[in-house]
Amino acid sequence: MKVFASQKLHKPSCCQSTLCAKMQGLSTTGTLNSSKSTYLGGTRSVCAPRLVASNTPTRHGGSGRSRTPLKIVAARVAGVEIPNAKKLEVSLTYIYGIGPTKSKEIMTNTQIENKRVKDLSEEELTKLRKEVEEGSYLIEGDLRRFNAMNIKRLIDIQCYRGKRHQMSLPVRGQKTKTNARTRKGKKKTVAGKKK
C-alpha cells in the first residue's frame, strides 16, 4: 500500500512540544485561587486589565504591525454614551430629550462645574447619572414612547392631524403642490400628469 505525502503523520516540532508541555503544566498546576500566573513561572501577578489612554502605538511581537492601546472614548449616562472630549453641557445634549437648557439645569442641581467629561471624577459621574435617571426628566425610550402614543391617539380618533400623519403629509398646513419632500419622501413620477 502506498502512503502519500498528505497522509503521513504530522510530527510536532520542538517549539510545539514545549508549548504543549507548558499548557499541560498550566492545567495541572494552575489553581483558581492563585494570584500569580503559572504560565510565566509565577513572576508576574494577574490582575484586571487596565485601559491605557495614549496615542503612541506599541510594538507587539515581530510581525511588523503596531497596535494602538485601548482608551476610554465615552462615559455612559442613562444608557447613552456621551462623548468624553466635549464639555459636560454639550455632552448631555447627546441624550434624547435633553437640550442646552435642561443640561444647564442638571448641572445646577448636581453642582458639577462645566468641564470635559474625561476630567470628571467617578463620584461626579455617579451623581450625574443619579440626577438624569431618577430626576423628573422625560428622556430616551419614555419620551419616544410618549410621542408615538400621542400620534397613535390622533390616528385612532381620525381627526385631521391624525389623517395627515396616516398619509405621511405635512400636519401644520404647509403646501404640498411643491416641496414637502421631507414628509412625502423621494419624488415618484406619474405618467401623463403634466398639463
Side-chain angles (χ1 to χ4, degrees), residues 59-66:
R59 306 283 289 186
H60 291 290
S63 62
R65 290 185 358 205
S66 60

Side-chain angles (χ1 to χ4, degrees), residues 170 174-182 184 187:
Q174 300 94 317
K175 67 175 185 177
T176 56
K177 183 176 181 179
T178 60
N179 302 335
R181 290 301 4 151
T182 308
K184 289 166 93 176
K187 200 178 285 184

Side-chain angles (χ1 to χ4, degrees), residues 109-156:
N109 292 350
T110 53
Q111 292 157 0
I112 299 172
E113 62 182 77
N114 190 18
K115 53 187 174 184
R116 301 205 182 273
V117 177
K118 63 184 173 191
D119 299 333
L120 290 173
S121 68
E122 196 59 47
E123 184 186 309
E124 289 173 323
L125 264 173
T126 313
K127 199 190 289 184
L128 186 72
R129 282 190 195 109
K130 191 175 180 184
E131 174 65 29
V132 171
E133 290 164 8
E134 295 173 14
S136 60
Y137 307 106
L138 197 59
I139 53 167
E140 282 303 313
D142 295 336
L143 181 57
R144 289 178 211 272
R145 206 172 302 109
F146 177 76
N147 291 340
M149 289 302 287
N150 278 340
I151 292 168
K152 189 180 180 302
R153 178 180 51 81
L154 292 172
I155 291 168
D156 287 345

Side-chain angles (χ1 to χ4, degrees), residues 14 16 80 120 141:
C14 175
Q16 284 178 333
V80 180
L120 290 173

Side-chain angles (χ1 to χ4, degrees), residues 48-58 60 66-74 84:
R50 255 181 43 211
L51 293 178
V52 183
S54 90
N55 293 328
T56 54
T58 53
H60 291 290
S66 60
R67 189 182 297 168
T68 310
L70 291 173
K71 59 181 179 180
I72 300 169
V73 220
N84 248 11

